[in-house]
Amino acid sequence: SKIIVMSIYVRAKRAQQTVFLHCEPTERVGAVRDRLAEIVAHKAALVRLLDAQNGQPYDNGKTLSEQGIDNDNVVHFVFATSGLQRSNLGLLSESINETAN
């Protein structure tokens, strides 16, 4: 039998901005990030996708389904500065979560 993979919609939010993305569960987070960066006219290398629940950054090399991103899920995105280290990203996402709630 044939396995049918349903497309999903993911809501990417930052401050007062929400971008609706049509995705495949098998798409890599990095590919979704690249499309989002193009939409918001920002360098893809400086866009980070974060889990909206805990603020942790998603792994760009994993698929949406591997990261637990499902239909109608919300992810946060931030614009990192070129000097921002991964360890500082958690602090940045915490402050975004506080302002989002």
Side-chain angles (χ1 to χ4, degrees):
S1 74
K2 188 176 179 181
I3 297 176
I4 299 173
V5 177
M6 301 291 289
S7 294
I8 62 174
Y9 285 93
V10 175
R11 290 180 285 160
K13 291 187 169 192
R14 177 181 180 269
Q16 299 300 313
Q17 183 177 25
T18 301
V19 178
F20 291 85
L21 298 165
H22 179 249
C23 305
E24 300 299 326
T26 55
E27 250 182 290
R28 301 239 177 255
V29 170
V32 174
R33 183 227 30 218
D34 292 350
R35 281 196 294 132
L36 175 64
E38 188 175 336
I39 291 167
V40 298
H42 210 78
K43 291 181 181 178
L46 300 180
V47 175
R48 303 286 185 265
L49 296 182
L50 308 173
D51 185 313
Q53 300 300 314
N54 62 26
Q56 293 300 306
Y58 286 113
D59 184 334
N60 288 328
K62 292 189 176 177
T63 66
L64 297 180
S65 62
E66 288 173 331
Q67 293 284 265
I69 302 171
D70 203 359
N71 190 45
D72 203 36
N73 279 168
V74 174
V75 299
H76 289 161
F77 68 98
V78 295
F79 300 140
T81 60
S82 56
L84 187 64
Q85 298 298 314
R86 189 175 181 98
S87 61
N88 295 336
L89 202 52
L91 297 174
L92 183 59
S93 65
E94 285 175 24
S95 67
I96 287 172
N97 281 339
E98 289 171 10
T99 58
N101 294 330

